[in-house]
Amino acid sequence: MKTIIRKSVLTVALLSLAIMATLGQNYQGVAIYKTVRDLGSMSVETNGMTDEMKSQIATLMQQRAQKTFILSFSDTEASWVESKNPDRKRKYRDISKSVYIEEADIMGDTYLIKDKLKPQDWKLTEETKQIGPYTAKKATQIRTWQSIVKGDKNSTMRTDTVEVVAWYTLEVPVTHGPNTYWGLPGLVLTLDDGKMTYECSSVTTDPDQELIIAKPNIGKKVSQEEFIKIRKEKAGQLLKSFGGDD
């Protein structure tokens, strides 16, 4: 299938119009992503180990952090699943209905988050580069992460602000991306959010092939706000178990 792409300069003010223009075109496909987690801040006690043993541990940690995910998408819908566990921790969005659904686990409990799909504040640039057969354009947004930092006596909660960098292509005219990222006027090919790097290894599109985009349906139903509250409570419990302050 050959797709004809209109070349135009998009500004932030026209982003919403560009997204809406992709709807209703019967465009669908599957994108495969490889992930690499940033292990730079992680440390492991290696006293008494040889250099070879340390190297083996580092390699094993990196291998466990690398996973393969499948993004199935249409003009308006998308699902995100891990290839080895396609029935767990699924994510789904429907742009036409502004709906987001996710299965999430916290300390052994599974929750089904269903809420309104929130727009993402992307800043578009004119910077381009070639990614495989596609011409990609750069976009950025600011995001905050929270993590538990374990000290010698007490543990604390740290908040980091990072710049998310995405490269998307107008040659696949859908507004989808890896994990929970979306809202750009083309498919996201690579993305680095400071914790994880997502790299698209293949894209297959075929409007005539039947494509099933399954909705998550397992877990206790909660809103995004309710889930965030539960997560903070669980994090507080974990912080106390590490000897953190109240």
Side-chain angles (χ1 to χ4, degrees):
M1 173 185 174
K2 184 177 181 181
T3 304
I4 300 175
I5 304 299
R6 293 181 179 178
K7 294 183 178 180
S8 60
V9 178
L10 294 175
T11 63
V12 176
L14 294 176
L15 176 57
S16 59
L17 294 178
I19 293 172
M20 292 304 296
T22 65
L23 305 182
Q25 297 177 1
N26 193 30
Y27 201 96
Q28 63 179 29
V30 174
I32 307 298
Y33 290 85
K34 307 288 185 180
T35 63
V36 179
R37 182 178 291 278
D38 180 11
L39 300 177
S41 59
M42 297 180 64
S43 61
V44 177
E45 183 61 48
T46 57
N47 292 339
M49 294 186 181
T50 65
D51 290 341
E52 182 180 1
M53 293 172 65
K54 293 177 183 179
S55 177
Q56 290 175 347
I57 289 177
T59 300
L60 181 60
M61 290 177 64
Q62 190 65 53
Q63 289 175 345
R64 289 183 175 179
Q66 294 175 343
K67 296 182 179 181
T68 300
F69 289 86
I70 302 171
L71 177 72
S72 302
F73 60 85
S74 68
D75 297 327
T76 59
E77 296 177 278
S79 66
W80 174 260
V81 299
E82 185 185 354
S83 61
K84 289 186 177 181
N85 299 288
D87 297 323
R88 294 186 65 251
K89 297 183 179 181
R90 298 173 294 177
K91 296 180 174 70
Y92 167 88
R93 58 178 165 262
D94 186 335
I95 298 170
S96 65
K97 297 179 181 178
S98 191
V99 170
Y100 174 76
I101 307 174
E102 175 185 356
E103 293 167 344
D105 293 342
I106 303 180
M107 298 174 65
D109 296 325
T110 301
Y111 297 90
L112 184 66
I113 306 166
K114 184 174 182 180
D115 215 319
K116 183 177 180 181
L117 187 64
K118 296 178 176 60
Q120 299 187 357
D121 187 17
W122 290 104
K123 179 181 178 181
L124 304 185
T125 77
E126 291 304 314
E127 187 176 347
T128 64
K129 71 176 180 179
Q130 197 71 18
I131 300 179
Y134 303 104
T135 299
K137 302 186 74 172
K138 182 180 178 180
T140 62
Q141 66 166 280
I142 301 300
R143 185 162 186 173
T144 58
W145 295 108
Q146 285 191 325
S147 58
I148 295 175
V149 180
K150 189 175 181 181
D152 293 335
K153 295 182 178 180
N154 296 313
S155 298
T156 58
M157 187 70 72
R158 183 180 70 190
T159 300
D160 296 316
T161 300
V162 299
E163 181 183 58
V164 179
V165 178
W167 291 88
Y168 66 95
T169 180
L170 299 174
E171 296 168 47
V172 185
V174 296
T175 184
H176 300 301
N179 207 334
T180 59
Y181 294 100
W182 73 286
L184 287 166
L187 181 69
V188 175
L189 298 178
T190 68
L191 185 144
D192 185 348
D193 62 13
K195 293 182 66 177
M196 191 80 74
T197 298
Y198 303 87
E199 297 181 351
C200 183
S201 59
S202 69
V203 181
T204 304
T205 59
D206 187 349
D208 299 321
Q209 183 177 356
E210 183 179 4
L211 181 67
I212 298 176
I213 302 178
K215 296 181 181 180
N217 56 9
I218 299 174
K220 179 181 177 181
K221 295 181 180 179
V222 294
S223 67
Q224 184 67 42
E225 183 178 355
E226 290 170 334
F227 179 75
I228 291 174
K229 182 179 179 181
I230 293 170
R231 185 172 58 189
K232 286 182 177 180
E233 291 174 351
K234 297 285 187 179
Q237 295 172 10
L238 189 60
L239 196 61
K240 288 182 179 180
S241 70
F242 285 155
D245 296 330
D246 291 337

